[in-house]
């Protein structure tokens, strides 16, 4: 990434120098992306344009001691995306772990929607569960589902989707609590 930012006329930096430089680089756009559909529609071939924004979180600063700094970097990258006019922003793996689905930690969003790459993963998992139940001749609404890893971003997303479809859940480390409105909420135990 740094080689691209510095340009081809400069020699690559050694790893120890990169490690020292990364914390000083503010979040910024690294490249523009445009993808076109191979399917022709009446208005031509649809295109999606995007922007890759790196928050430049150094790999040796991923532990809890750097959480505050890393959240600030993710917020900075989110603000950059909003300022660039992004309508949809998908947070990368580590960014989504830091945010843990709590998008209130991000700056004022105006017309920008934030999601994680995990949203698509949850969709594929839930779709797979539906297909498996159909293949096995099981009624998903009458099945009990054990979600291992329900405390994480993907597991809790699956739990929320499936919770709306079935009559009962079993979640290690979580309890299903009925709210006064009759809906069920997932709460952490312990």
């Amino acid at each position: 990434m740094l080689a691209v930012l510095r340009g081809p006329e400069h020699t690559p930096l050694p790893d120890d120098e990169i490690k020292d430089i990364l914390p000083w680089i503010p979040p910024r756009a690294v490249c523009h992306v445009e993808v076109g559909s191979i399917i022709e529609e009446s208005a031509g071939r649809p295109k999606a344009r995007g922007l890759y924004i790196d928050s430049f979180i150094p790999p040796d600063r991923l532990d809890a001691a750097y959480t505050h700094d890393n959240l600030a970097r993710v917020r900075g990258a989110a603000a950059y995306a909003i300022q660039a006019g992004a309508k949809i922003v998908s947070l990368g793996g580590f960014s989504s772990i830091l945010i843990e689905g709590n998008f209130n930690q991000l700056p004022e969003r105006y017309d920008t929607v934030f999601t994680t790459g995990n949203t698509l993963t949850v969709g594929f998992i839930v779709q797979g569960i539906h297909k498996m139940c159909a293949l096995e001749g099981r009624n998903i609404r009458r099945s009990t589902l054990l979600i291992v890893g329900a405390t994480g971003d993907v597991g809790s997303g699956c739990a929320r989707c499936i919770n709306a479809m079935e009559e009962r859940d079993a979640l290690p480390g979580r309890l299903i609590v009925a709210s006064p409105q009759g809906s069920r909420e997932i709460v952490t135990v312990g």
Side-chain angles (χ1 to χ4, degrees), residues 2 7 12 14 26 30 56 68 77 99 104 114 157 159 183 186:
L2 283 177
V30 175
F56 296 100
H68 181 73
I99 298 298
N104 292 329
F114 283 84
S183 66
I186 301 170

Side-chain angles (χ1 to χ4, degrees), residues 3 50 64 120 155:
L120 182 60

Side-chain angles (χ1 to χ4, degrees), residues 99-106:
I99 298 298
E100 283 279 331
N102 183 2
F103 294 113
N104 292 329
Q105 296 184 57
L106 298 175

Side-chain angles (χ1 to χ4, degrees), residues 24-91:
W24 298 99
I25 301 174
R28 66 172 67 192
V30 175
C31 66
H32 294 265
V33 179
E34 186 169 302
V35 180
S37 174
I38 60 170
I39 299 171
E40 185 85 30
E41 293 185 358
S42 59
R45 294 179 192 253
K47 292 184 180 179
R49 288 180 302 285
L51 195 59
Y52 174 76
I53 300 169
D54 201 317
S55 57
F56 296 100
I57 297 173
D60 63 338
R61 295 186 178 200
L62 299 178
D63 59 10
Y66 297 99
T67 300
H68 181 73
D69 293 340
N70 291 339
L71 278 170
R73 288 182 162 281
V74 171
R75 281 189 206 101
Y80 191 102
I82 292 166
Q83 184 180 8
K87 298 296 180 199
I88 301 171
V89 177
S90 179
L91 299 174

